Every structure is written in structure tokens, then in C-alpha cells.
Short mmCIF file of all heavy atoms in Angstrom, two decimals:
data_model
loop_
_atom_site.label_atom_id
_atom_site.label_comp_id
_atom_site.label_asym_id
_atom_site.label_seq_id
_atom_site.Cartn_x
_atom_site.Cartn_y
_atom_site.Cartn_z
N ILE A 1 -15.80 -12.42 -9.54
CA ILE A 1 -14.51 -12.96 -9.99
C ILE A 1 -13.41 -12.75 -8.95
O ILE A 1 -12.59 -13.63 -8.71
CB ILE A 1 -14.11 -12.38 -11.37
CG1 ILE A 1 -12.89 -13.10 -11.93
CG2 ILE A 1 -13.84 -10.90 -11.29
CD1 ILE A 1 -13.18 -14.37 -12.62
N GLY A 2 -13.40 -11.59 -8.29
CA GLY A 2 -12.40 -11.34 -7.26
C GLY A 2 -12.58 -12.27 -6.07
O GLY A 2 -11.62 -12.85 -5.55
N ARG A 3 -13.82 -12.44 -5.66
CA ARG A 3 -14.11 -13.36 -4.56
C ARG A 3 -13.78 -14.79 -4.97
O ARG A 3 -13.36 -15.59 -4.16
CB ARG A 3 -15.59 -13.28 -4.18
CG ARG A 3 -16.00 -12.02 -3.48
CD ARG A 3 -17.47 -12.10 -3.16
NE ARG A 3 -17.95 -10.88 -2.53
CZ ARG A 3 -19.22 -10.63 -2.26
NH1 ARG A 3 -20.13 -11.51 -2.57
NH2 ARG A 3 -19.57 -9.52 -1.68
N ASP A 4 -14.04 -15.11 -6.24
CA ASP A 4 -13.82 -16.47 -6.73
C ASP A 4 -12.35 -16.86 -6.64
O ASP A 4 -12.01 -17.98 -6.25
CB ASP A 4 -14.32 -16.58 -8.17
CG ASP A 4 -14.53 -18.02 -8.60
OD1 ASP A 4 -14.86 -18.85 -7.74
OD2 ASP A 4 -14.37 -18.30 -9.79
N ILE A 5 -11.46 -15.97 -7.00
CA ILE A 5 -10.02 -16.25 -6.94
C ILE A 5 -9.60 -16.50 -5.49
O ILE A 5 -8.92 -17.49 -5.19
CB ILE A 5 -9.21 -15.09 -7.56
CG1 ILE A 5 -9.47 -15.04 -9.09
CG2 ILE A 5 -7.72 -15.23 -7.26
CD1 ILE A 5 -8.96 -13.80 -9.76
N LEU A 6 -10.02 -15.63 -4.59
CA LEU A 6 -9.67 -15.80 -3.17
C LEU A 6 -10.30 -17.07 -2.60
O LEU A 6 -9.67 -17.77 -1.81
CB LEU A 6 -10.11 -14.57 -2.37
CG LEU A 6 -9.37 -13.27 -2.69
CD1 LEU A 6 -10.00 -12.10 -1.94
CD2 LEU A 6 -7.89 -13.39 -2.38
N SER A 7 -11.52 -17.36 -3.01
CA SER A 7 -12.19 -18.56 -2.52
C SER A 7 -11.52 -19.82 -3.04
O SER A 7 -11.47 -20.84 -2.35
CB SER A 7 -13.66 -18.54 -2.92
OG SER A 7 -14.30 -17.44 -2.30
N GLY A 8 -11.00 -19.75 -4.26
CA GLY A 8 -10.26 -20.88 -4.82
C GLY A 8 -9.04 -21.20 -3.98
O GLY A 8 -8.71 -22.36 -3.76
N LEU A 9 -8.38 -20.17 -3.50
CA LEU A 9 -7.23 -20.37 -2.62
C LEU A 9 -7.67 -21.00 -1.30
O LEU A 9 -6.97 -21.83 -0.74
CB LEU A 9 -6.51 -19.05 -2.36
CG LEU A 9 -5.87 -18.38 -3.59
CD1 LEU A 9 -5.35 -17.00 -3.22
CD2 LEU A 9 -4.76 -19.25 -4.15
N LYS A 10 -8.85 -20.64 -0.82
CA LYS A 10 -9.37 -21.17 0.44
C LYS A 10 -9.61 -22.68 0.33
O LYS A 10 -9.46 -23.40 1.31
CB LYS A 10 -10.66 -20.44 0.81
CG LYS A 10 -11.24 -20.84 2.14
CD LYS A 10 -10.38 -20.36 3.29
CE LYS A 10 -11.12 -20.53 4.60
NZ LYS A 10 -10.39 -20.02 5.72
N THR A 11 -9.97 -23.16 -0.86
CA THR A 11 -10.22 -24.59 -1.02
C THR A 11 -8.95 -25.41 -0.84
O THR A 11 -9.01 -26.58 -0.50
CB THR A 11 -10.85 -24.92 -2.39
OG1 THR A 11 -9.94 -24.56 -3.43
CG2 THR A 11 -12.19 -24.22 -2.56
N ILE A 12 -7.82 -24.79 -1.03
CA ILE A 12 -6.55 -25.50 -0.85
C ILE A 12 -6.27 -25.75 0.62
O ILE A 12 -5.86 -26.84 1.00
CB ILE A 12 -5.38 -24.69 -1.49
CG1 ILE A 12 -5.60 -24.61 -3.00
CG2 ILE A 12 -4.03 -25.30 -1.15
CD1 ILE A 12 -4.66 -23.65 -3.70
N VAL A 13 -6.54 -24.74 1.46
CA VAL A 13 -6.24 -24.87 2.88
C VAL A 13 -7.43 -25.36 3.70
O VAL A 13 -7.28 -25.75 4.85
CB VAL A 13 -5.71 -23.54 3.47
CG1 VAL A 13 -4.41 -23.15 2.83
CG2 VAL A 13 -6.73 -22.43 3.33
N GLY A 14 -8.63 -25.31 3.12
CA GLY A 14 -9.83 -25.79 3.81
C GLY A 14 -10.48 -24.71 4.64
O GLY A 14 -9.94 -23.63 4.85
N GLY A 15 -11.68 -25.00 5.13
CA GLY A 15 -12.42 -24.07 5.96
C GLY A 15 -13.61 -23.47 5.23
O GLY A 15 -13.84 -23.73 4.06
N GLU A 16 -14.36 -22.68 5.97
CA GLU A 16 -15.55 -22.04 5.41
C GLU A 16 -15.17 -21.00 4.38
O GLU A 16 -14.24 -20.21 4.58
CB GLU A 16 -16.37 -21.38 6.53
CG GLU A 16 -17.61 -20.69 6.01
CD GLU A 16 -18.39 -19.96 7.08
OE1 GLU A 16 -17.91 -19.88 8.24
OE2 GLU A 16 -19.47 -19.45 6.76
N ILE A 17 -15.91 -20.96 3.30
CA ILE A 17 -15.72 -19.92 2.28
C ILE A 17 -16.77 -18.85 2.57
O ILE A 17 -17.91 -18.92 2.10
CB ILE A 17 -15.86 -20.50 0.86
CG1 ILE A 17 -14.84 -21.63 0.68
CG2 ILE A 17 -15.64 -19.40 -0.18
CD1 ILE A 17 -14.99 -22.40 -0.61
N ARG A 18 -16.40 -17.91 3.39
CA ARG A 18 -17.35 -16.93 3.92
C ARG A 18 -18.00 -16.08 2.83
O ARG A 18 -19.17 -15.71 2.96
CB ARG A 18 -16.66 -16.04 4.95
CG ARG A 18 -16.38 -16.78 6.23
CD ARG A 18 -15.94 -15.84 7.36
NE ARG A 18 -15.73 -16.58 8.57
CZ ARG A 18 -14.53 -16.86 9.07
NH1 ARG A 18 -13.45 -16.43 8.47
NH2 ARG A 18 -14.42 -17.56 10.19
N ASN A 19 -17.28 -15.78 1.76
CA ASN A 19 -17.87 -14.98 0.69
C ASN A 19 -19.06 -15.69 0.05
O ASN A 19 -20.06 -15.08 -0.28
CB ASN A 19 -16.84 -14.64 -0.38
CG ASN A 19 -15.84 -13.61 0.11
OD1 ASN A 19 -16.17 -12.75 0.92
ND2 ASN A 19 -14.62 -13.69 -0.38
N TYR A 20 -18.95 -16.99 -0.12
CA TYR A 20 -20.05 -17.76 -0.70
C TYR A 20 -21.19 -17.91 0.30
O TYR A 20 -22.36 -17.88 -0.08
CB TYR A 20 -19.58 -19.12 -1.17
CG TYR A 20 -18.69 -19.06 -2.39
CD1 TYR A 20 -17.96 -20.16 -2.77
CD2 TYR A 20 -18.58 -17.91 -3.16
CE1 TYR A 20 -17.12 -20.12 -3.89
CE2 TYR A 20 -17.76 -17.86 -4.26
CZ TYR A 20 -17.03 -18.97 -4.64
OH TYR A 20 -16.22 -18.92 -5.73
N THR A 21 -20.85 -18.08 1.56
CA THR A 21 -21.88 -18.15 2.59
C THR A 21 -22.69 -16.86 2.59
O THR A 21 -23.92 -16.89 2.61
CB THR A 21 -21.26 -18.39 3.98
OG1 THR A 21 -20.55 -19.62 3.95
CG2 THR A 21 -22.31 -18.42 5.07
N LYS A 22 -22.00 -15.73 2.52
CA LYS A 22 -22.67 -14.43 2.49
C LYS A 22 -23.49 -14.28 1.22
O LYS A 22 -24.63 -13.79 1.26
CB LYS A 22 -21.64 -13.30 2.60
CG LYS A 22 -22.27 -11.93 2.65
CD LYS A 22 -21.25 -10.84 2.82
CE LYS A 22 -21.95 -9.49 2.84
NZ LYS A 22 -21.04 -8.38 2.88
N MET A 23 -22.96 -14.72 0.08
CA MET A 23 -23.68 -14.62 -1.19
C MET A 23 -25.00 -15.39 -1.12
O MET A 23 -26.05 -14.89 -1.51
CB MET A 23 -22.83 -15.17 -2.33
CG MET A 23 -23.52 -15.13 -3.69
SD MET A 23 -22.64 -16.02 -4.98
CE MET A 23 -23.08 -17.71 -4.57
N LEU A 24 -24.95 -16.62 -0.59
CA LEU A 24 -26.17 -17.43 -0.50
C LEU A 24 -27.15 -16.89 0.53
O LEU A 24 -28.36 -16.96 0.35
CB LEU A 24 -25.83 -18.89 -0.24
CG LEU A 24 -25.22 -19.60 -1.44
CD1 LEU A 24 -24.70 -20.98 -1.05
CD2 LEU A 24 -26.21 -19.69 -2.58
N GLU A 25 -26.63 -16.31 1.61
CA GLU A 25 -27.49 -15.69 2.62
C GLU A 25 -28.26 -14.52 2.00
O GLU A 25 -29.47 -14.37 2.19
CB GLU A 25 -26.66 -15.21 3.80
CG GLU A 25 -27.46 -14.61 4.92
CD GLU A 25 -26.57 -14.21 6.09
OE1 GLU A 25 -25.88 -15.08 6.62
OE2 GLU A 25 -26.60 -13.02 6.46
N GLU A 26 -27.55 -13.69 1.22
CA GLU A 26 -28.20 -12.57 0.54
C GLU A 26 -29.23 -13.08 -0.47
O GLU A 26 -30.32 -12.52 -0.59
CB GLU A 26 -27.15 -11.72 -0.17
CG GLU A 26 -26.27 -10.93 0.76
CD GLU A 26 -25.08 -10.28 0.07
OE1 GLU A 26 -24.91 -10.47 -1.17
OE2 GLU A 26 -24.31 -9.59 0.75
N ALA A 27 -28.90 -14.15 -1.18
CA ALA A 27 -29.82 -14.73 -2.16
C ALA A 27 -31.09 -15.24 -1.48
O ALA A 27 -32.20 -15.04 -1.98
CB ALA A 27 -29.14 -15.85 -2.94
#
């Protein structure tokens, strides 16, 4: 949830969402 809020802000300005990239890499 904490990462989700910050990532939501990232979608406004654009660019890689590193937290999700890391999450999928771990998965």
C-alpha cells in the first residue's frame, strides 16, 4: 500500500515505477 501510493504519484509525471519492477523481479 505504501509503494502503491508513491507509484500512483509516479504515473502522473511518467517514468519507470521501480518498486513494481523490483516486485516482479522478485516474483
Side-chain angles (χ1 to χ4, degrees):
I1 189 83
R3 289 180 182 173
D4 198 31
I5 292 168
L6 294 174
S7 297
L9 296 173
K10 184 70 169 184
T11 62
I12 295 170
V13 297
E16 179 184 6
I17 303 173
R18 288 191 178 106
N19 288 329
Y20 290 166
T21 299
K22 183 177 179 185
M23 179 190 78
L24 288 171
E25 183 178 302
E26 289 170 359

